[in-house]
Amino acid sequence: MKKNGKSGDCQRPYRLAHQVLCITGFNFQHQSLIGYVELLLHPLREDLRRIKINCKQGRIYRVLIQDKWEAPFMYNDPTLEICQGDARQRNLDFFESCHLTATNAVNADNASGEVTIKIPQEVVPIVTELKPLRVSIEFSLENPQGGLKFVVPDLDGTMAEKGAHLFSYGCENSSRLWFPCIDSYSEPCTWKLEFTVDINMTAISCGDLIDTIYTSDMKKKTFHYFLSTPTAAPNIAVAVGPFEVMVDSNMHEVTHFCLPHLMPVLKHSTGFLHEAFEFYEELMSSRYPYSCYKQVFVDQAYMDRSAYATMTIFSTNLLHSARVIDQVPVSRTIMAHAIAQQFFGCYIAMQSWYDAWLPKGIAGYLCSLYLKNAFGTNEYRHFIAQELKTVQDYEQNTGAVILDPSELEGPAPRLYFPVSHPHTLSPKFAEIFEKKAHLVIRMLEIRIGRELLLQTLNKLLSLATQAAQQKFQANTWKNMLMSTSSFLKIKSTVTGKDINVFIDQWVRQSGCAKFFGNFVFNRKRNVVELELKQDMNAKGAMKYVGPLTVTIQELDGSFNHTFKIEENKTKFEITCHSKSRRNKKKKIPLMTGEEVDMDLNAMDVDSPVLWLRVDPDMTILRQVTWEQPDFMWQYQLRYERDVVAQTEAISALEQFPTPATRLALTDTIENDQCFYRVRMEAAMCLARVANSMVTSWAGPPAMMTIFRKMFGSHSCPSIVRQNNFSNFQHYYLQKTIPLAMSHLRTIHNICPPEVLRFLLDLFKYNDNSKNKFSDNYYKAVLIDALVNTISPAVSMMHITGQGPTSTLLSEDARNILEEVTRCLNLEKLLPCYKCTVTVSCLKAIRKLQRFGHVPSDWSLFKSYASFGNFFDVRLAALEALVDYTKVDASADCLSYLLDLVENDPDPCISHNILRMLSDSPPFTKKEESLLSTEALVERLWKLMNSSTSHDARLRCGGADVYHALYGRTRPSCLPIPESVMVLNLKDKTTMLNPSIIPDISESDLFDDEEDISFSTADESHTASEIEAEDRKRPAESPLPVEEVKLESNIDATIQAVSEEGSAFKVHVKEIKQPPTSEPVVTEKHREEGSAFKLKIKIGGKLPRPEEHRKDSTPPLPCIVGSPGSTNPLESSYAKEFLKFAGVNPDAIPESPVVPFSLSRSSIFASASVASNDSFAGLSEDSSSLPALSVRPKTPDDNIVRDTPPPIAVMSSEAGKDSATRDEGSSKHHKAKKKKKKNKHKHKHKHKHEKAEKGERHDRHDKDDGKSEKQTSKMEISLPFKSPDLDEPSSPEFEVI
């Protein structure tokens, strides 16, 4: 099914050729700017009368066309308030539906926008001749909430002395937040950019710096940039501040900008950059597409990397000195990725959001190749394996990730957010989307070969370069944009290969293949019988059809076998090249070509197989669960040279806690030839294996001997040597072993005392005086290890009610707390790089609180979470506050966190708070919590609905939190709505009121089973029983006859079903005792204390309140008649039912009865008067109709109330009939009847004739072939005629 919006640019009746952006003044004190834009538009149609552009937050003063005629304009932004005018609906599906509608209403890809400009009559002749239009817009921006960040430190001095600066930011299509534009990637144009700033400031923007002009008073200067390469508005950015400038010594086209006093770390951090440029240019055989490149490092950045045309805005947190080790690979990878985005993402942009996977995936693919070149193949393969696992976990636990859903066949997988626009995406989904796009491009490389893929990329760049050099025409710059179809066309042209099947399987579908496999060696036939199964029923799984490689390591070498996977369960036979050998030691050739000596005593003497691997090169998105003996995993760990294979073996060996496993892991840790990440994984696994072998473990604690051997002093191994981190492998291992040892536990589940003393000695003897590298990360890990040794304390409460005190601390806990406090206080005096020690100390204190060793108090974390602390410190404190909120159910702490989300100056902090709350919610929809209040729901709803219109990522993050707390349904803490479930007896369908609860899945709607009982409190009689029963059924599904059970004809009552106040149903159930004549029905209160009653509504036109006063006869309830009876009063239990309802059965006149059957139809229907097919609760007149309630009779029953009951809905059939006969009917009802007169003419006539004859007319499904004997029927009859009805109608009733 083709989505609309795929080719939105073709819908736009004009094209943009050039744009001028001139900011004439920046005011840091008031955080404002003023300027104007000029757009050169080429009309494509003669009837063009309106121009739509994008602009948010700004104030537009006037619009001029051709610099002569002032044009009227209108501003309308539905995204300011997503659910406008809604007072009741609080479910997430409704919000996301409105969110998508509002976003599409201003989507530039759909030729829409917030500002609509009407072309004056004087300009119409110019449009008719299809001549260019120059549209000038004067605007200002005051105190922007998003899109443009003013960073003004609270210090003394001028703005330049304080380091005040500003920069643009946002996710895709966010340029509209700071200047008027056509905010679409499909509308590239050339740019002229002018920025006037103070004399001490520097303005950096896209393109080449043409000139810098100073004013006559030398107080201001204007920077003129020109971007000759056609570029879309979302790729335009600006940064202004007192930046220090450094031209790259190796590439003069590259310029670096940083804030004052950061030049030394800037030089070291960016010294490698020329290597990345050279690598990319050589890889793709194409030069860097722009003439310059600028890197700007700012404070309070929106994200670590924001790439724009010819420039990238980075966070200052990426800068590091030469003494730091851990930050180097992180910063280099991020900067290299930004350079790759200059090729694909900025220079070649996406045609529409459905094509975003191509530039994102190609940029990620290029970055991974640089990672492989810079850090080695092992690091690259480990990185790919981690990316693959992340994507698998998300699809299995959260939802499907479809890269291009534009041509999806059938319904798209249900997510709680739309995926058709970047402003509606969950931030988590956006991250996984980028990772999966990279993996798919890598799979494509494996499928067609690297050379052919690189030739395709070179062809794309060549076509874009040719297009960029041409002057504007209608389709001149189309090669600057990339779409899935154009990519496939170029791919076919260059390679001659058809990859449509590949695209359909991995780009237009979601999921990962899940394989389960094992094998058996057949000694007689010398074959390996291999069995592979696919699990397609699991969430996030897909059926894979295609080739799959299996690698088998035999005694004579390693061999690859490729099989065709077609079925869910496949069996293969692999003929072995080797035969079993009796000699126990032999040189075995490996896949790498080297030969190693192996001890073959552990293996099966009859089998030549050492180990097997499925898809060793990760050629597809898959998850493999492989079964083989433990000795094979041990061989694979020891002798396989692939780091991914070794990591898989370590994970599998955790399930085999044996001495052989212990030895294999120990040898891996000590092996200097092994990759350092594998050694780290082995250390962590050995701790878990040691805990499983705690009863049989002999010798000192695991890894203590290894650590002392590697890092202990030669004269006294118990004392660690002075730090020397020149060997990076040993450095990472020196950090990991203490952390792994901290997880060791005795048989009593406490940390061994010698391990704790060992860790405290590491603090005591830590000496970094002669080390040229910083030990801040090492000390932070030691603090983490120290706290991991803590076990939960036995809580002791005093009479005073106070918690644990320092006097009650154990000696071990006291030592740990003292060490943590000492490090924290020292950090205040001498902070280390990125305050890593403070971060670990805050995590340690929170863990001590959670385990009951120190009083639980959040004031310390609140002080560290306040604005002004370093970013990482704030994140650690906020993480502790989120944990405190969850464990202690603190409403004040949760309110404080939401205050930060709403008011914190750093947008990245707000985003991370929402991320933490969604990852670790204080409660879920399945839990009862004191935090779940109506006030919290309203606050979160306001946050999503209107408070975050300036930041799409923040708005979607709020939706993530709302989903984590309440799911997609209406929160149960809200009051019960008036009309929850509506069922249509005629159409035999039932649905939840769409204004209250959306069409949702069964698992989301019903999570907790709740039973609500109604009982009477009469002392002398047994009351009729009304039980609650959970009948789970999705909305809008037919209610089958099996759900209405009638066991006998004795007596009946009505059973109400409630699910957390969100849905009601009715169940007719027999009881053996008839109700007494004067029962008393009590109301069952919900937890909030609000009562609800069981009411029965009769279809048909009931008298208005004014008419009702004229009639002294009170309205009567429905009467249950026996099957086959024409008079409902003939049965004794019908009379009992009337007595139960408080009505005298003798006072009811005999009248024709029109019964109906409940079989094969929905029991409840509350259709609106206004519509023949609509459901209850949607009619404007419904509030004026009285309702009939089943209740005890009171002396006031004959008194007519002035105020009718709140909600009553009459049936569709009755509404149609009464609309024909009632002279006082509204025009709306007459129009409704006239519209459907022809459609139902014969049907109405047939029913009226039967009613006049008094014949029985059952409402059942005519297409149903089952006999009436198979279904027992229950008839509910209307024993009287409505005063305004000549003919009886089929009644319908509902429970509210």
Side-chain angles (χ1 to χ4, degrees):
M1 182 176 59
K2 193 83 172 175
K3 304 287 182 184
N4 294 330
K6 171 77 175 176
S7 55
D9 58 320
C10 64
Q11 302 175 4
R12 192 176 296 110
Y14 50 85
R15 298 304 299 266
L16 178 63
H18 180 72
Q19 181 163 350
V20 176
L21 171 61
C22 179
I23 306 297
T24 57
F26 293 94
N27 190 320
F28 280 90
Q29 185 175 0
H30 297 92
Q31 299 189 7
S32 62
L33 61 84
I34 188 169
Y36 69 91
V37 296
E38 289 184 1
L39 295 88
L40 184 62
L41 304 177
H42 288 253
L44 300 180
R45 297 198 327 230
E46 298 178 358
D47 59 346
L48 175 64
R49 296 297 180 268
R50 284 176 173 80
I51 299 172
K52 292 187 177 182
I53 63 171
N54 301 105
C55 182
K56 288 174 69 73
Q57 299 186 112
R59 176 181 297 178
I60 297 178
Y61 295 102
R62 66 172 181 169
V63 178
L64 292 177
I65 298 183
Q66 307 297 80
D67 294 332
K68 297 180 181 179
W69 299 284
E70 186 167 348
F73 63 90
M74 180 183 68
Y75 180 85
N76 179 33
D77 184 8
T79 63
L80 293 177
E81 185 178 358
I82 297 299
C83 305
Q84 301 180 10
D86 171 70
R88 298 183 304 166
Q89 305 172 21
R90 292 295 180 267
N91 65 79
L92 196 56
D93 277 6
F94 173 76
F95 170 81
E96 293 299 350
S97 176
C98 296
H99 191 190
L100 181 61
T101 302
T103 303
N104 287 333
V106 294
N107 186 7
D109 285 337
N110 297 334
S112 301
E114 293 85 357
V115 179
T116 302
I117 301 172
K118 184 178 180 181
I119 295 180
Q121 290 296 327
E122 297 84 353
V123 187
V124 172
I126 301 177
V127 175
T128 305
E129 297 175 4
L130 299 181
K131 292 184 178 180
L133 298 178
R134 187 169 63 255
V135 181
S136 302
I137 303 173
E138 299 176 3
F139 73 100
S140 68
L141 194 63
E142 298 178 1
N143 193 22
Q145 300 299 309
L148 197 68
K149 176 64 179 176
F150 286 84
V151 182
V152 183
D154 188 11
L155 301 172
D156 296 331
T158 63
M159 290 297 171
E161 293 172 350
K162 292 191 292 186
H165 60 285
L166 66 86
F167 57 92
S168 58
Y169 71 90
C171 57
E172 289 87 351
N173 303 94
S174 294
S175 292
R176 69 187 75 183
L177 291 169
W178 64 285
F179 72 94
C181 60
I182 299 178
D183 201 5
S184 170
Y185 287 95
S186 62
E187 201 65 38
C189 68
T190 56
W191 292 80
K192 182 181 180 182
L193 307 163
E194 300 177 2
F195 303 97
T196 302
V197 299
D198 292 340
I199 193 67
N200 296 324
M201 296 286 185
T202 302
I204 306 108
S205 189
C206 304
D208 296 311
L209 180 61
I210 304 301
D211 197 3
T212 303
I213 300 177
Y214 292 81
T215 58
S216 58
D217 57 1
M218 298 301 290
K219 290 185 178 180
K220 293 183 179 295
K221 55 184 176 181
T222 302
F223 290 84
H224 294 261
Y225 289 90
F226 184 75
L227 184 58
S228 59
T229 302
T231 304
N235 283 326
I236 300 298
V238 67
V240 177
F243 296 108
E244 296 184 5
V245 184
M246 185 190 75
V247 178
D248 196 288
S249 59
N250 297 291
M251 291 186 65
H252 300 296
E253 302 93 339
V254 179
T255 310
H256 310 282
F257 300 86
C258 68
L259 294 172
H261 314 300
L262 295 178
M263 183 58 69
V265 292
L266 176 69
K267 290 181 178 180
H268 179 76
S269 302
T270 59
F272 79 100
L273 208 63
H274 67 283
E275 301 175 1
F277 276 100
E278 294 171 359
F279 173 79
Y280 290 140
E281 291 179 347
E282 182 179 353
L283 181 69
M284 293 181 288
S285 301
S286 177
R287 288 191 56 82
Y288 174 68
Y290 296 110
S291 57
C292 63
Y293 179 64
K294 299 171 280 289
Q295 289 195 147
V296 187
F297 294 86
V298 299
D299 189 24
Q300 300 180 26
Y302 187 68
M303 55 184 66
D304 288 338
R305 175 198 72 249
S306 298
Y308 304 95
T310 74
M311 68 177 293
T312 304
I313 296 177
F314 294 103
S315 170
T316 54
N317 298 338
L318 298 179
L319 300 176
H320 58 85
S321 67
R323 289 175 51 84
V324 177
I325 299 175
D326 300 62
Q327 186 65 33
V328 173
V330 177
S331 297
R332 291 193 179 184
T333 301
I334 292 175
M335 293 183 199
H337 198 165
I339 299 174
Q341 286 182 286
Q342 295 298 310
F343 291 88
F344 292 93
C346 297
Y347 188 67
I348 299 180
M350 55 184 165
Q351 174 77 33
S352 70
W353 175 248
Y354 293 117
D355 309 308
W357 71 275
L358 277 168
K360 289 180 180 292
I362 294 174
Y365 167 74
L366 295 175
C367 177
S368 66
L369 293 183
Y370 171 78
L371 180 70
K372 181 179 181 180
N373 178 76
F375 301 108
T377 303
N378 288 339
E379 189 73 30
Y380 166 76
R381 290 187 60 82
H382 183 271
F383 168 74
I384 295 297
Q386 293 299 315
E387 295 273 284
L388 181 58
K389 187 178 185 304
T390 304
V391 173
Q392 291 170 357
D393 292 342
Y394 183 89
E395 295 214 62
Q396 292 176 11
N397 300 325
T398 303
V401 180
I402 302 178
L403 298 181
D404 181 8
S406 61
E407 298 183 5
L408 184 66
E409 296 293 336
R414 286 293 302 274
L415 294 169
Y416 62 90
F417 52 87
V419 297
S420 57
H421 196 276
H423 290 181
T424 62
L425 294 181
S426 164
K428 299 178 186 177
F429 180 91
E431 293 178 9
I432 302 301
F433 180 90
E434 192 168 340
K435 295 178 184 293
K436 184 172 183 178
H438 155 232
L439 293 175
V440 170
I441 295 295
R442 178 182 174 273
M443 291 165 54
L444 183 60
E445 174 213 45
I446 297 174
R447 184 66 57 92
I448 66 175
R450 174 177 295 187
E451 294 301 325
L452 292 179
L453 178 59
L454 294 177
Q455 289 178 20
T456 304
L457 301 184
N458 176 270
K459 184 66 174 179
L460 289 170
L461 291 171
S462 300
L463 293 174
T465 302
Q466 295 176 8
Q469 295 172 354
Q470 299 179 13
K471 294 184 178 180
F472 172 81
Q473 291 180 359
N475 293 318
T476 303
W477 296 333
K478 66 178 182 178
N479 286 329
M480 303 293 297
L481 304 174
M482 179 189 298
S483 65
T484 304
S485 58
S486 65
F487 178 77
L488 293 178
K489 183 177 180 181
I490 294 176
K491 170 66 65 178
S492 177
T493 302
V494 173
T495 66
K497 295 185 178 181
D498 183 10
I499 59 171
N500 285 312
V501 176
F502 174 86
I503 296 296
D504 291 338
Q505 186 171 28
W506 298 109
V507 177
R508 297 181 177 133
Q509 290 186 26
S510 64
C512 301
K514 295 189 69 175
F515 293 106
F516 298 87
N518 53 48
F519 71 94
V520 176
F521 176 71
N522 190 324
R523 183 172 58 87
K524 294 182 179 180
R525 300 172 56 198
N526 197 35
V527 297
V528 174
E529 298 173 352
L530 178 68
E531 181 180 10
L532 279 177
K533 299 179 183 178
Q534 288 194 68
D535 182 8
M536 299 186 304
N537 298 323
K539 185 177 180 180
M542 65 171 292
K543 181 180 180 180
Y544 173 71
V545 177
L548 187 68
T549 302
V550 175
T551 300
I552 179 170
Q553 177 66 50
E554 303 180 24
L555 295 174
D556 290 346
S558 183
F559 305 95
N560 290 331
H561 303 270
T562 301
F563 302 102
K564 180 70 175 179
I565 303 296
E566 296 179 348
E567 303 293 337
N568 300 342
K569 182 177 180 180
T570 312
K571 293 185 178 181
F572 306 102
E573 289 187 354
I574 303 175
T575 303
C576 293
H577 297 74
S578 313
K579 293 187 177 180
S580 59
R581 298 181 180 178
R582 299 297 177 181
N583 49 340
K584 300 303 181 183
K585 285 197 175 184
K586 179 68 178 177
K587 283 189 175 294
I588 308 298
L590 302 178
M591 179 66 75
T592 57
E594 63 176 310
E595 294 185 353
V596 296
D597 291 325
M598 290 189 187
D599 185 359
L600 306 179
N601 289 322
M603 68 177 295
D604 185 1
V605 294
D606 295 330
S607 173
V609 179
L610 292 172
W611 65 80
L612 269 78
R613 295 185 61 204
V614 178
D615 189 30
D617 293 326
M618 298 173 288
T619 57
I620 62 173
L621 301 180
R622 86 292 186 277
Q623 180 183 10
V624 179
T625 303
W626 187 246
E627 296 180 5
Q628 62 184 12
D630 59 343
F631 70 86
M632 290 189 177
W633 291 118
Q634 293 162 14
Y635 282 137
Q636 182 172 322
L637 174 59
R638 290 175 183 271
Y639 304 110
E640 178 63 75
R641 296 298 180 249
D642 181 16
V643 296
V644 177
Q646 292 175 313
T647 305
E648 292 173 353
I650 290 173
S651 300
L653 285 175
E654 187 178 342
Q655 309 301 322
F656 302 97
T658 61
T661 297
R662 171 186 175 181
L663 181 60
L665 293 172
T666 302
D667 291 343
T668 302
I669 297 172
E670 295 178 335
N671 185 5
D672 285 338
Q673 302 301 318
C674 192
F675 185 50
Y676 78 100
R677 291 192 181 274
V678 174
R679 300 171 73 182
M680 293 165 62
E681 290 287 340
M684 302 302 295
C685 181
L686 182 57
R688 295 187 289 268
V689 170
N691 291 336
S692 301
M693 298 174 59
V694 62
T695 57
S696 60
W697 187 275
M703 293 171 286
M704 183 176 291
T705 304
I706 300 175
F707 187 89
R708 288 175 174 172
K709 179 181 177 181
M710 296 179 64
F711 308 107
S713 174
H714 298 291
S715 58
C716 184
S718 60
I719 299 178
V720 66
R721 292 197 298 262
Q722 286 184 327
N723 293 338
N724 182 9
F725 298 156
S726 57
N727 187 326
F728 290 166
Q729 283 206 34
H730 287 180
Y731 163 69
Y732 281 103
L733 207 58
Q734 188 172 354
K735 289 197 310 176
T736 304
I737 291 179
L739 188 62
M741 292 177 63
S742 66
H743 294 287
L744 295 174
R745 293 295 182 266
T746 64
I747 194 172
H748 301 292
N749 199 27
I750 62 174
C751 184
E754 53 266 40
V755 172
L756 181 57
R757 290 194 298 269
F758 166 76
L759 294 175
L760 291 174
D761 286 342
L762 292 181
F763 279 97
K764 182 178 179 179
Y765 298 112
N766 181 47
D767 183 3
N768 204 60
S769 59
K770 296 183 179 180
N771 190 12
K772 66 177 182 179
F773 296 102
S774 174
D775 66 342
N776 62 308
Y777 285 97
Y778 175 61
K779 290 191 294 186
V781 169
L782 290 182
I783 295 174
D784 295 338
L786 199 61
V787 179
N788 285 341
T789 62
I790 298 176
S791 300
V794 178
S795 180
M796 297 180 63
M797 300 299 293
H798 295 281
I799 299 177
T800 59
Q802 298 178 352
T805 61
S806 59
T807 57
L808 298 177
L809 281 176
S810 64
E811 182 180 357
D812 292 343
R814 185 191 305 275
N815 293 333
I816 293 172
L817 183 59
E818 288 178 356
E819 190 63 42
V820 170
T821 306
R822 183 186 67 83
C823 293
L824 186 60
N825 292 333
L826 184 62
E827 184 80 352
K828 293 181 180 179
L829 300 175
L830 298 172
C832 63
Y833 174 72
K834 299 185 77 169
C835 300
T836 54
V837 175
T838 302
V839 170
S840 294
C841 288
L842 292 177
K843 294 179 180 179
I845 293 174
R846 178 55 201 156
K847 192 167 185 178
L848 287 168
Q849 289 183 356
R850 189 168 62 250
F851 282 0
H853 292 281
V854 297
S856 187
D857 183 18
W858 60 290
S859 58
L860 173 68
F861 307 112
K862 182 179 179 181
S863 63
Y864 277 99
S866 60
F867 180 75
N869 290 292
F870 183 69
F871 180 78
D872 289 3
V873 173
R874 299 190 67 192
L875 288 185
L878 291 169
E879 187 177 352
L881 290 176
V882 170
D883 183 70
Y884 179 87
T885 303
K886 181 176 183 178
V887 175
D888 291 18
S890 172
D892 293 338
C893 189
L894 180 59
S895 177
Y896 172 76
L897 291 172
L898 294 179
D899 287 340
L900 289 180
V901 171
E902 296 168 353
N903 305 315
D904 196 85
D906 192 343
C908 197
I909 288 292
S910 300
H911 163 67
N912 277 279
I913 293 175
L914 294 177
R915 169 67 66 90
M916 294 174 188
L917 287 174
S918 61
D919 290 341
S920 179
F923 60 90
T924 62
K925 58 183 179 180
K926 298 181 180 180
E927 302 172 0
E928 294 292 336
S929 174
L930 297 176
L931 298 178
S932 180
T933 61
E934 185 175 356
L936 177 62
V937 174
E938 295 301 326
R939 186 169 187 179
L940 290 175
W941 189 265
K942 181 181 178 182
L943 178 71
M944 299 186 301
N945 192 35
S946 58
S947 299
T948 52
S949 61
H950 56 276
D951 193 336
R953 184 177 71 170
L954 212 57
R955 169 171 274 168
C956 296
D960 286 346
V961 176
Y962 199 89
H963 179 263
L965 298 179
Y966 302 110
R968 293 158 65 167
T969 61
R970 179 182 174 91
S972 60
C973 61
L974 297 182
I976 302 175
E978 294 175 343
S979 180
V980 183
M981 175 168 281
V982 288
L983 298 93
N984 194 319
L985 289 176
K986 174 184 175 182
D987 297 337
K988 303 177 182 179
T989 59
T990 174
M991 67 174 292
L992 300 177
N993 192 334
S995 66
I996 305 298
I997 296 180
D999 181 15
I1000 54 179
S1001 63
E1002 181 180 6
S1003 60
D1004 287 331
L1005 179 60
F1006 298 103
D1007 288 314
D1008 297 328
E1009 296 185 358
E1010 181 181 7
D1011 292 338
I1012 302 178
S1013 301
F1014 289 71
S1015 59
T1016 61
D1018 190 74
E1019 296 180 358
S1020 59
H1021 301 282
T1022 303
S1024 63
E1025 179 181 276
I1026 304 179
E1027 300 176 341
E1029 176 179 347
D1030 191 4
R1031 308 282 297 175
K1032 301 184 179 179
R1033 186 180 71 254
E1036 293 186 336
S1037 63
L1039 186 67
V1041 67
E1042 288 77 12
E1043 298 200 19
V1044 183
K1045 299 180 180 179
L1046 189 62
E1047 299 175 359
S1048 62
N1049 294 330
I1050 303 176
D1051 281 311
T1053 183
I1054 297 178
Q1055 190 174 30
V1057 177
S1058 173
E1059 176 65 28
E1060 298 182 353
S1062 60
F1064 288 101
K1065 304 177 187 176
V1066 156
H1067 187 63
V1068 178
K1069 183 180 179 182
E1070 313 261 37
I1071 57 174
K1072 297 184 179 180
Q1073 295 292 336
T1076 58
S1077 59
E1078 294 292 334
V1080 179
V1081 180
T1082 61
E1083 298 177 356
K1084 180 74 175 179
H1085 291 260
R1086 294 183 59 85
E1087 294 180 5
E1088 294 81 8
S1090 61
F1092 54 90
K1093 299 180 181 180
L1094 183 67
K1095 297 184 179 180
I1096 299 180
K1097 297 184 180 179
I1098 300 179
K1101 186 178 184 305
L1102 299 181
R1104 300 286 180 180
E1106 299 80 33
E1107 302 171 350
H1108 189 62
R1109 294 189 184 97
K1110 301 176 183 179
D1111 191 1
S1112 60
T1113 304
L1116 301 178
C1118 297
I1119 304 177
V1120 182
S1122 60
S1125 172
T1126 58
N1127 189 350
L1129 301 181
E1130 291 180 359
S1131 62
S1132 60
Y1133 71 88
K1135 296 181 179 181
E1136 294 293 338
F1137 185 86
L1138 285 177
K1139 293 179 181 180
F1140 174 81
V1143 180
N1144 185 5
D1146 299 330
I1148 300 178
E1150 296 185 3
S1151 59
V1153 177
V1154 183
F1156 73 97
S1157 172
L1158 284 178
S1159 64
R1160 306 192 182 280
S1161 64
S1162 302
I1163 329 177
F1164 295 94
S1166 51
S1168 173
V1169 178
S1171 173
N1172 193 32
D1173 298 322
S1174 62
F1175 291 99
L1178 304 179
S1179 173
E1180 297 178 356
D1181 300 332
S1182 62
S1183 61
S1184 62
L1185 299 177
L1188 303 180
S1189 60
V1190 180
R1191 56 176 178 80
K1193 186 175 181 181
T1194 63
D1196 296 335
D1197 282 343
N1198 294 328
I1199 301 176
V1200 180
R1201 316 291 185 194
D1202 292 336
T1203 303
I1207 292 182
V1209 184
M1210 70 181 183
S1211 69
S1212 303
E1213 297 296 333
K1216 290 191 296 182
D1217 295 344
S1218 62
T1220 308
R1221 301 174 181 83
D1222 188 8
E1223 296 179 357
S1225 300
S1226 65
K1227 294 181 179 180
H1228 177 72
H1229 291 174
K1230 291 181 179 180
K1232 193 74 175 182
K1233 172 184 175 299
K1234 185 175 181 181
K1235 183 178 179 181
K1236 299 187 177 182
K1237 181 177 180 181
N1238 295 333
K1239 180 178 180 180
H1240 300 287
K1241 183 176 181 181
H1242 175 72
K1243 181 178 179 181
H1244 280 213
K1245 181 178 180 181
H1246 178 69
K1247 292 172 63 176
H1248 293 170
E1249 289 176 356
K1250 285 198 173 185
E1252 291 174 357
K1253 294 178 183 180
E1255 295 178 358
R1256 177 172 180 168
H1257 178 65
D1258 294 336
R1259 299 171 59 180
H1260 62 276
D1261 193 350
K1262 296 181 180 181
D1263 296 333
D1264 190 2
K1266 294 186 178 180
S1267 64
E1268 296 180 357
K1269 296 181 180 180
Q1270 296 176 347
T1271 307
S1272 59
K1273 297 182 180 180
M1274 185 74 183
E1275 298 175 358
I1276 297 183
S1277 305
L1278 186 68
F1280 66 97
K1281 292 185 178 180
S1282 176
D1284 295 333
L1285 295 178
D1286 295 331
E1287 301 293 340
S1289 61
S1290 301
E1292 299 178 3
F1293 62 94
E1294 82 170 329
V1295 170
I1296 58 174

